[in-house]
Amino acid sequence: MSLFRQLRILVLLLILLLVAAGTWLSQWRTTDWDTPLVVALYPIVGDDSAKTQDFVRALSVDDFVDIETLFQEEANEYGLSLTQPVDVVLGPVLDQSPPAPPTERSLLATVWWSLNMRYWGWQVAREYGPPADIQIFVLFHDPALRSRLQHSLGLRKGLLGVVHAFADLRQVGTNNVIIAHEFLHTLGASDKYDPRTSLPLYPAGYAEPQRVPLFPQRYAEIMGGRIPQSKNTAVQPRGFSEVLVGESTAREIRWIP
Ligand SMILES: [Zn+2]
């Protein structure tokens, strides 16, 4: 192996080590729950539709305030002493989109994309603010142009999320549930549904796993995603009145030991 190649690998390893250490530190700090976590939401117009444009320009922080309320109520249920765990702030509408995730499933491509994504997020924060612990980029799409959205994602332990949402007033509740779900990924919460069927996993993905009879469930567990109606069916929650944070998720984000 040439000296140059060895050096290049060494530098790459160093960068990864630094990123890993920084991530571990921020992960620890973001889940100590001694001050509210500030989450910056950046709306992005995701297509050429005039409807999407109008929808995004009309957004205000009030459209997202129920995310704060959800975490307030749920943290209280778990006896957290911090009364407001999450503070949502609205960043400016961005006219650029985050780096697209890799289409191939390779570790190197994923690592490269994740580094790019962090660098991009850092640049946005530096250029536009607002100061925040976590950034979520929300790309809005006109439902008339596409009925299915790309997958949203929260960089586990990366403090960044990318959410695909519908530019439609009737979808505001569902959009916010997805934002809250991806936000929890950034804190290290894991998915609690079967990726092949989208059905919540029992018991961790159930909001009330002890309920008798078990079906139909009344709520969705936020990381389980949907409300189980029977062993093989589940429905999407319409908003936070139908969503809870389950015990397993609460443990992952260190609300309980
Ligand atoms: Zn997820």
Side-chain angles (χ1 to χ4, degrees), residues 142-220:
D142 185 345
L145 294 184
R146 53 161 85 200
S147 56
R148 278 184 70 92
L149 293 172
Q150 272 171 277
H151 277 290
S152 296
L153 54 99
L155 269 191
R156 198 162 172 205
K157 306 180 177 175
L159 308 183
L160 293 164
V162 178
V163 168
H164 291 275
F166 280 123
D168 187 327
L169 279 176
R170 285 163 301 182
Q171 297 279 344
V172 169
T174 319
N175 289 345
N176 286 355
V177 171
I178 300 172
I179 294 172
H181 175 107
E182 303 306 337
F183 159 72
L184 287 174
H185 273 314
T186 70
L187 301 184
S190 61
D191 276 325
K192 294 170 183 68
Y193 61 86
D194 183 335
R196 287 161 307 169
T197 59
S198 298
L199 288 170
L201 296 171
Y202 185 84
Y206 280 53
E208 298 177 305
Q210 324 288 8
R211 186 173 154 81
V212 182
L214 191 56
F215 300 111
Q217 288 272 310
R218 298 182 295 173
Y219 306 101

Side-chain angles (χ1 to χ4, degrees), residues 46-65:
D47 55 32
D48 301 329
S49 151
K51 189 185 161 190
T52 311
Q53 285 271 359
D54 294 346
F55 183 87
V56 168
R57 304 285 160 195
L59 286 172
S60 80
V61 75
D62 294 342
D63 295 307
F64 304 100
V65 79

Side-chain angles (χ1 to χ4, degrees), residues 37 61-77 82-88 176 180 183 239-241 243-245 255:
L37 270 186
V61 75
D62 294 342
D63 295 307
F64 304 100
V65 79
D66 61 348
I67 300 175
E68 288 179 1
T69 317
L70 170 85
F71 288 113
Q72 234 160 12
E73 288 173 1
E74 292 302 290
N76 186 38
E77 286 286 315
L82 186 65
T83 45
Q84 193 196 348
V86 175
D87 180 12
V88 174
N176 286 355
F183 159 72
F240 288 129
S241 56
V243 172
L244 296 182
V245 174
W255 273 1

